[in-house]
Amino acid sequence: MISLPVITINLNNKNGLEKTIESVVSQHYKNFQSTIIDGNSSDGSRTLIQQYSNHINYWVSEPDEGIYHAMNKGIRASTGGYCLFLNSGDWLSEPTTLENVFAQDPQADIVSGDVYFLDTQTETIKWEVFSPTRLTAKILFLGKLPHQATFSRRSLFNTIGLYNEQLKIASYWLFFVEALLGRGCSYQHIPETVAYFNMDGISCDPQTASLPRREQLGVLQQKYPRFLPDYERLDQLEKQRETT
């Protein structure tokens, strides 16, 4: 049975954190490690974590330097076959989710399921994002792998490295590009809705809407300049599609 670290970061989101924890501890699949990295929250999150401490393998509540610094703490504290990053406010779709995923015997370095995007203002599903059956450079460049539904082999963080802490929002994207495009790691899609994604976070905030593309362009200019023309063309096509 494959061991799975489920890494959750949290900052002052007690209610969302409880929903996340409940979805993890209720799983029928029990070979997981629950790891919670709290950024010294002041809203009672620490007390909540202590209440669930019998179900949590590792936790810490202390100041950190941002999203990816917190995630890297979780990676360092974890061992196992794959890692799943399920941040506070996101939750696994069903108690049978992990059981269903691992019943399909995943073998690839990066394994992706599907995810629901939830509008928390109306408590309705905005849309469902399906991970690609066949992965292409276009899909990678446009950032179409949902991290809440993607299982990354733990050993990749030793060979490729941890998340880039200089980026605010695009480190998931960079890791997938470096693993799948730069290193030729294997990929597999499992047709299972893994998680609900809470749209209250930074990636859906209108004030930071342009940040992912800015960071991605900066990375490509520095590390993969030969891909810039293709990326810019794809970005324009995507913007046109969104306005039609």
Side-chain angles (χ1 to χ4, degrees), residues 4 6 8 19-29 32 84-87 89-99 101 114-116 148-151 193-197:
L4 174 72
V6 180
T8 299
K19 195 160 193 173
T20 304
I21 293 173
E22 280 288 343
S23 80
V24 174
V25 302
S26 67
Q27 290 298 300
H28 296 178
Y29 187 92
F32 64 83
L84 176 66
F85 297 91
L86 194 70
N87 295 339
D90 303 335
W91 67 94
L92 296 170
S93 59
E94 299 289 346
T96 56
T97 294
L98 296 182
E99 183 179 61
V101 168
D114 307 322
V115 63
Y116 288 126
Q148 307 86 357
T150 299
F151 303 80
T193 302
V194 172
Y196 285 82
F197 169 56

Side-chain angles (χ1 to χ4, degrees), residues 2 82 99-108 111 188 190:
I2 297 174
Y82 288 94
E99 183 179 61
N100 293 343
V101 168
F102 289 104
Q104 298 183 56
D105 191 26
Q107 297 292 325
V111 177
Q188 178 182 356
I190 288 180

Side-chain angles (χ1 to χ4, degrees), residues 179-224:
L180 294 162
L181 189 61
R183 301 292 186 100
C185 292
S186 56
Y187 167 82
Q188 178 182 356
H189 173 238
I190 288 180
E192 177 78 23
T193 302
V194 172
Y196 285 82
F197 169 56
N198 183 336
M199 295 177 67
D200 286 344
I202 184 174
S203 61
C204 293
D205 188 338
Q207 295 184 1
T208 56
S210 64
L211 183 58
R213 291 291 186 257
R214 293 204 311 270
E215 289 193 340
Q216 289 168 5
L217 279 170
V219 167
L220 290 176
Q221 287 168 348
Q222 181 180 5
K223 302 190 70 171
Y224 302 103

Side-chain angles (χ1 to χ4, degrees), residues 55-123:
H55 302 283
I56 298 169
N57 298 82
Y58 175 87
W59 70 273
V60 66
S61 182
E62 61 187 17
D64 56 53
E65 298 173 16
I67 293 172
Y68 295 110
H69 180 240
M71 288 183 175
N72 285 340
K73 282 186 186 180
I75 294 168
R76 291 189 184 99
S78 301
T79 60
Y82 288 94
C83 289
L84 176 66
F85 297 91
L86 194 70
N87 295 339
S88 64
D90 303 335
W91 67 94
L92 296 170
S93 59
E94 299 289 346
T96 56
T97 294
L98 296 182
E99 183 179 61
N100 293 343
V101 168
F102 289 104
Q104 298 183 56
D105 191 26
Q107 297 292 325
D109 296 313
I110 293 178
V111 177
S112 282
D114 307 322
V115 63
Y116 288 126
F117 276 55
L118 188 79
D119 184 338
T120 54
Q121 300 301 314
T122 61
E123 289 295 316

